[in-house]
Amino acid sequence: DQTYQGYTYDLVEIGDQCWFAENLRSAAYLNGDSIPGNLSNADWTSTESGAQAIYANDSANLGKYGRLYNWYAVIDDRSLCPTGWHVPSLDEWTILNDHLGTETAGTTL
């Protein structure tokens, strides 16, 4: 398990990789700075800074899907992830996909 900003995430080992078993829920960067949320669709598509949202702006979806982050939040130096973790690279996604096979990747395990 990994506790981050008050929430404990289950971990799962897949092949030689260790992953969070669910999506991140954080509304703040690692340093505690808030990630702006509740943007309108127009603001979400036009912003050039980090932002986060809950799917369909429905708080009931936080537990099911975690938060959604735009690219600016993902690449921000303040980091979305807890110390020792990072947003997976394309190579890491490819390794996961190759291990699971294309018919399994993206489904609930």
Side-chain angles (χ1 to χ4, degrees):
D1 292 349
Q2 171 71 49
T3 300
Y4 181 54
Q5 297 183 354
Y7 183 80
T8 301
Y9 296 90
D10 290 331
L11 304 177
V12 62
E13 190 170 329
I14 303 173
D16 293 330
Q17 298 174 313
C18 186
W19 294 80
F20 275 36
E22 58 190 296
N23 291 333
L24 194 63
R25 297 177 178 211
S26 179
Y29 293 106
L30 177 60
N31 71 354
D33 289 349
S34 180
I35 305 169
N38 297 320
L39 278 66
S40 69
N41 287 341
D43 288 341
W44 178 270
T45 57
S46 67
T47 190
E48 293 185 4
S49 60
Q52 54 82 16
I54 299 172
Y55 180 70
N57 293 323
D58 182 347
S59 60
N61 287 327
L62 181 60
K64 185 171 184 178
Y65 302 113
R67 292 187 190 273
L68 306 172
Y69 302 93
N70 69 1
W71 180 246
Y72 298 103
V74 171
I75 64 169
D76 195 290
D77 288 338
R78 293 172 286 183
S79 185
L80 289 174
C81 301
T83 302
W85 292 86
H86 61 271
V87 175
S89 68
L90 179 56
D91 287 343
E92 290 165 327
W93 280 109
T94 299
I95 291 167
L96 174 68
N97 188 63
D98 289 349
H99 179 79
L100 295 175
T102 55
E103 292 188 23
T104 302
T107 62
T108 302
L109 298 176

